[in-house]
Amino acid sequence: MIPSLFIAHGAPLLAIENNEYTQFLNQLGKTMPKPKAVVLFSAHYESMVQKVSDVEEFDTIYDFGGFPEALYRIKYPAKGNQNITGEIKSLLSENGIPFEVDSTRGLDHGAWVVLRMLYPDADIPVISMSVNQRLKPEEHYQIGKSLSALREQDILIVGSGGTVHNLRAVKWEMDGKGTEQWAEDFDQWIEQHMTSWDTEALFNYESLAPNAAVAVPPYGKEHFIPIFYAMGAADDVKQGKLLHRSYRYGNLSHSVWQFG
């Protein structure tokens, strides 16, 4: 059974950079078993109701501004899979989770930056899923759990976001010059409770985790919550493993977690 993943997508510049983190993701895509499809929850796809894509071929969305022209020339023409979309609809219905089908939206950079590093040939079908930061962590977890059966078919479930992702706190001038302690403390707390599968603590991270209000600001929860969708998808195994962690700009974390 294929595991689920949480992958930090960092800043859009990752798409054209060659560094420790991009090299790790490139290698991860080569060493993992090739999935039948990828079901991806992106921090940049927000909706009050769970959205499920039913797209024949995705457009590439450039949901950012002020970056080098090379970023806007990137295309990631992944195809969808109507049968897998149908399975997801059935699983959500069986678990009483309201949803809507979206047949027009392309892939935002939270999706294509990650997918392009894992699978540069865009030869694996993708189902795009929205996130809803107004839900409770346990509700995100339950949505992921409802899809756990897909892993038995070698369908990879990915949450794309970031554990420490506060653009008002990043120190651009600190890139490559160390990491602020508050960010490391938060990530180490997350690691402790992820590896022990302490969902009670994790669901209450806002009041229990050190520096949570800075690491996951009220206006930026959408980047943290994808980890709960990915974690829930491995509820049958309850094993979490940190595969990679590094930092940019003083505190922007690049974490990759494997569940299951």
Side-chain angles (χ1 to χ4, degrees), residues 1 6 17 43 59 104 122 202 226 232 237:
M1 182 185 294
F6 172 79
E17 291 178 329
D59 292 328
T104 60
L202 290 165
V237 181

Side-chain angles (χ1 to χ4, degrees), residues 138-232:
E138 50 263 47
E139 292 176 297
H140 305 131
Y141 186 97
Q142 289 300 320
I143 292 172
K145 182 179 177 180
S146 75
L147 304 180
S148 62
L150 297 175
R151 293 174 42 239
E152 298 175 4
Q153 303 176 44
D154 291 330
I155 295 173
L156 175 63
I157 298 173
V158 176
S160 172
T163 52
V164 181
H165 192 285
N166 185 341
L167 296 184
R168 298 182 189 177
V170 296
K171 304 289 179 58
W172 304 102
E173 71 280 4
M174 281 186 66
D175 193 22
K177 299 178 181 177
T179 306
E180 294 186 291
Q181 191 62 48
W182 65 263
E184 292 188 354
D185 289 346
F186 177 81
D187 267 342
Q188 286 167 6
W189 185 92
I190 293 298
E191 180 180 359
Q192 175 188 346
H193 295 284
M194 283 287 177
T195 52
S196 63
W197 211 269
D198 185 356
T199 53
E200 183 176 353
L202 290 165
F203 292 164
N204 292 283
Y205 75 91
E206 288 181 279
S207 59
L208 297 178
N211 314 305
V214 185
V216 187
Y219 55 84
K221 292 180 183 177
E222 77 285 343
H223 275 80
F224 185 65
I225 59 177
I227 203 166
F228 292 120
Y229 295 94
M231 190 181 186

Side-chain angles (χ1 to χ4, degrees), residues 52-122:
V52 184
S53 71
D54 187 2
V55 175
E56 185 174 344
E57 182 173 308
F58 288 94
D59 292 328
T60 305
I61 301 175
Y62 308 101
D63 51 335
F64 46 76
F67 288 94
E69 181 61 30
L71 273 176
Y72 303 93
R73 292 197 295 266
I74 293 174
K75 302 287 185 184
Y76 193 80
K79 290 179 169 54
N81 184 301
Q82 201 166 43
N83 291 333
I84 295 174
T85 292
E87 287 189 60
I88 292 171
K89 289 162 60 178
S90 296
L91 290 169
L92 293 175
S93 295
E94 289 168 13
N95 286 275
I97 298 167
F99 66 90
E100 295 176 355
V101 175
D102 189 319
S103 58
T104 60
R105 191 180 189 276
L107 294 176
D108 58 69
H109 82 273
W112 63 257
V113 168
V114 167
L115 290 168
R116 186 168 171 268
M117 284 188 277
L118 292 175
Y119 309 114
D121 296 331

Side-chain angles (χ1 to χ4, degrees), residues 35-39 58 78-81 84 115 122-127 155:
K36 176 182 174 183
V38 178
V39 175
F58 288 94
K79 290 179 169 54
N81 184 301
I84 295 174
L115 290 168
D123 57 348
I124 296 175
V126 174
I127 310 299
I155 295 173

